[in-house]
Amino acid sequence: MARITYDNADAAAFEATRHLTDDGLSAWREAVTRHLDPHAGMRTLDLGSGTGMWAQAFTDWYDIEVTAVEPSEAMRARSIYRPVVPGDAERIPLDDGSVDAAWISTVIHHVPDLNRAARELRRVVRPGGRVLIRSAFAGRHQAITLFRYFPEAIRVLDTYPSAADVEAAFTAAGFTTVGFEQVPQVSAPSLREAATALRREAHTPLQLINDDEYAAGLARLHRAARTETGPVVDALDLLVLA
Ligand SMILES: C[S@@+](CC[C@H](N)C(=O)[O-])C[C@H]1O[C@@H](n2cnc3c(N)ncnc32)[C@H](O)[C@@H]1O
């Protein structure tokens, strides 16, 4: 079970507020290019593809094949990338060695059995192929703006797997860590726009704090948005395994 349901309301909020612009993603494009070494015909899995932002971006950026796999029917229904295959990390509906690389973005904390998922990825990614994991890991809230206004949500983040937990599962499955870096993104043009657009259902840590904590954080965010200028820049981690 994922930590949240990814039902219709979650999927609608995610689609409406979590897709980033190409400009906002420029550092991610540069990091992915460096670690993935995309080339014509390369076969890539987007696991837990959600509403398809990354599968679509990879297809726009590179001349590669992307197979999107997503367990939630509501997320699949709203995907901007097609086709999307039903499936999850513990049962990836692909043949052995059938992809050159896998991309897993803000999914790993929803996976109930990390060891089993790592073994499945070892099975479907060809030997020497890479797994790129984009995530907010436990203990790594400092570069993510929302946690400044919703500090109680750090408590939720700290129940996610740490980077070391994920590395341990993948190492046990036969992978080696070949990279770990923090990558910035422009999440919104201004704090004011971020505050106006914010949807609680689009953020797992905000769903899992209580209503009073959420209301207090929202008030702090709107107060700060009256005076803060400049874009909202967040940084998530990229863990690369081969
Ligand atoms: C925060 S969304 C991220 C969506 C997309 N990867 C992105 O970055 O835009 C998390 C996604 O993980 C999916 N998910 C939940 N449990 C999963 C599992 N066990 N295996 C694969 N995906 C899972 C959810 O359905 C949801 O679409």
Side-chain angles (χ1 to χ4, degrees), residues 33-34 39 72 84 109 116 130 142 154 157 167 174-175 182 191 193-194 202 207 209:
T33 305
R34 200 161 15 89
H39 48 269
S72 153
V84 194
H109 53 284
R116 187 165 162 196
R130 291 194 164 188
Q142 296 84 353
I154 296 170
L157 182 78
E167 280 189 87
F175 287 95
Q182 208 170 45
L191 196 61
E193 285 181 59
Q207 290 208 39
I209 57 177

Side-chain angles (χ1 to χ4, degrees), residues 1-6 14 18-19 46-54 69-73 75-76 87-91 103-113 117 134 202-204:
M1 274 290 284
R3 287 166 189 266
I4 63 171
T5 54
Y6 286 104
F14 197 91
R18 293 284 299 273
H19 288 202
D46 181 358
L47 180 60
S49 56
T51 46
M53 178 188 82
W54 291 101
V69 171
E70 165 57 45
S72 153
E73 195 178 344
M75 294 296 260
R76 290 197 306 273
D88 63 36
E90 292 90 347
R91 285 160 299 269
W103 170 252
I104 308 172
S105 165
T106 60
V107 167
I108 211 74
H109 53 284
H110 290 299
V111 171
D113 187 340
R134 173 180 180 265
H203 300 270
T204 304

Side-chain angles (χ1 to χ4, degrees), residues 187-199:
S187 299
S190 66
L191 196 61
R192 190 193 180 121
E193 285 181 59
T196 308
L198 184 70
R199 301 268 294 270

Side-chain angles (χ1 to χ4, degrees), residues 49 55 66-69 79 81-85:
S49 56
V66 180
T67 301
V69 171
S79 181
Y81 179 84
R82 308 249 166 218
V84 194
V85 183

Side-chain angles (χ1 to χ4, degrees), residues 20-38:
L20 303 176
T21 64
D22 242 24
D23 281 351
L25 288 176
S26 61
W28 278 102
R29 182 174 181 172
E30 190 274 322
V32 170
T33 305
R34 200 161 15 89
H35 290 291
L36 204 60
D37 188 21

Side-chain angles (χ1 to χ4, degrees), residues 45 47 88-92 102 104 107-125 131 133 166 169-170 173 175:
L45 162 67
L47 180 60
D88 63 36
E90 292 90 347
R91 285 160 299 269
I92 302 173
I104 308 172
V107 167
I108 211 74
H109 53 284
H110 290 299
V111 171
D113 187 340
L114 266 185
N115 289 302
R116 187 165 162 196
R119 286 195 300 273
E120 265 297 80
L121 282 152
R122 185 61 289 169
R123 182 183 69 73
V124 302
V125 175
V131 176
I133 301 179
V166 176
F170 278 76
F175 287 95

